[in-house]
Amino acid sequence: MEYDILEKSAGLVASDESLDTRLECAARLFIGALPAFDECVIYVWNDNNKRMELKALCVKKDGGVKKSRMDSYGEGLNPFKGVELPEGAQPLQDEGLAWVAIKSGKALHAHSNAAFPEAAVWEGVRDGGLTGFKSVYVWPLMDSSGCYGAIYIKSRKKAVLTAGEKRVTRTAAFHTAMAIKFEWLARRQAIEHGELKGLKKKLVNAERLMALGDMAASIAHEIKNPLVSLGGF
């Protein structure tokens, strides 16, 4: 079972399917591999908007927790910025647990004896995506080159991953990160290839114009300097 899941997650890296389709498949794989968990959400970093945006969602049983699904997470947004806090109070970071996991470079496990309320806060971090759940694992999607997103795996009951489940999830999360990374590289290559083709076309046109210029100059020279001697005259 473990190797079957890893084989499927590895196959998503080189698949010809769209990235959204592959991420949806990955979310289903995570939920299928983790029977104690109810929901998997995959977020992908959008460099233009500077936010992590929801790209894939798989729910085992819909228990009326739609409010918990955050469409996106910003980076380090602080609603109390510039506000003087009471002595000893800690500012709430409205960035979500994803950024905590990314900054630490490892998975994060948040849990509560009661379901997280709508204004969910865990160790000073506000995350609306925790609402209605008791246990949440967050895996950062990253490598030494950068950050690509994050995976939330949630349970409405208190749940802990086994050593084997952690191993599978960690490896499958890395495969997911590589799928996103390779998609980005492919898109960048396509853009650069298009720019290169455009530059090549401009160079060809420039060479043609230069050739026409040389031809025109040669014809003008011949007209101004006709042959004086033809046939011995």
Side-chain angles (χ1 to χ4, degrees):
M1 180 67 174
E2 179 177 329
Y3 293 106
D4 181 53
I5 293 168
L6 293 180
E7 183 180 4
K8 290 179 179 178
S9 66
L12 295 176
V13 178
S15 172
D16 293 330
E17 298 283 353
S18 69
L19 180 61
D20 287 352
T21 299
R22 283 182 282 163
L23 293 179
E24 289 170 3
C25 290
R28 288 195 295 270
L29 281 175
F30 281 110
I31 287 299
L34 306 172
F37 288 80
D38 304 296
E39 181 175 297
C40 175
V41 192
I42 300 178
Y43 294 89
V44 175
W45 174 248
N46 185 321
D47 198 46
N48 293 325
N49 299 332
K50 303 300 180 186
R51 299 187 68 83
M52 285 195 297
E53 299 177 344
L54 190 156
K55 289 295 181 182
L57 168 69
C58 182
V59 182
K60 185 179 294 181
K61 294 177 182 177
D62 197 336
V65 290
K66 293 183 183 297
K67 289 183 179 180
S68 72
R69 298 170 195 164
M70 297 286 289
D71 290 331
S72 65
Y73 286 101
E75 182 180 4
L77 300 177
N78 187 354
F80 295 95
K81 188 174 182 180
V83 177
E84 186 174 351
L85 299 174
E87 184 177 354
Q90 295 296 318
L92 293 172
Q93 297 295 321
D94 195 22
E95 59 185 4
L97 297 185
W99 287 109
V100 179
I102 288 168
K103 289 169 185 175
S104 68
K106 57 185 179 181
L108 175 68
H109 181 206
H111 57 85
S112 173
N113 290 324
F116 283 104
E118 188 167 347
V121 177
W122 184 82
E123 293 193 0
V125 180
R126 176 183 288 135
D127 192 325
L130 305 183
T131 306
F133 294 95
K134 290 186 178 180
S135 291
V136 181
Y137 279 88
V138 185
W139 251 269
L141 299 177
M142 58 192 301
D143 64 4
S144 58
S145 300
C147 164
Y148 311 107
I151 296 176
Y152 278 71
I153 301 171
K154 311 173 187 180
S155 174
R156 287 187 283 274
K157 299 178 181 179
K158 288 196 71 173
V160 178
L161 295 176
T162 65
E165 289 173 336
K166 286 181 181 179
R167 183 169 58 251
V168 170
T169 307
R170 180 172 58 251
T171 306
F174 178 75
H175 291 159
T176 305
M178 291 303 97
I180 299 170
K181 179 179 182 177
F182 294 161
E183 176 70 15
W184 286 3
L185 290 174
R187 290 177 183 176
R188 186 182 305 168
Q189 185 181 40
I191 293 172
E192 291 175 352
H193 180 66
E195 292 175 348
L196 185 61
K197 286 180 66 177
L199 181 59
K200 183 178 179 181
K201 185 176 181 180
K202 288 180 180 179
L203 287 173
V204 170
N205 290 336
E207 289 176 355
R208 287 176 179 171
L209 289 174
M210 288 177 64
L212 288 173
D214 290 343
M215 183 184 298
S218 177
I219 293 172
H221 177 76
E222 293 298 334
I223 291 173
K224 289 181 180 180
N225 300 281
L227 294 176
V228 177
S229 177
L230 290 173
F233 292 99

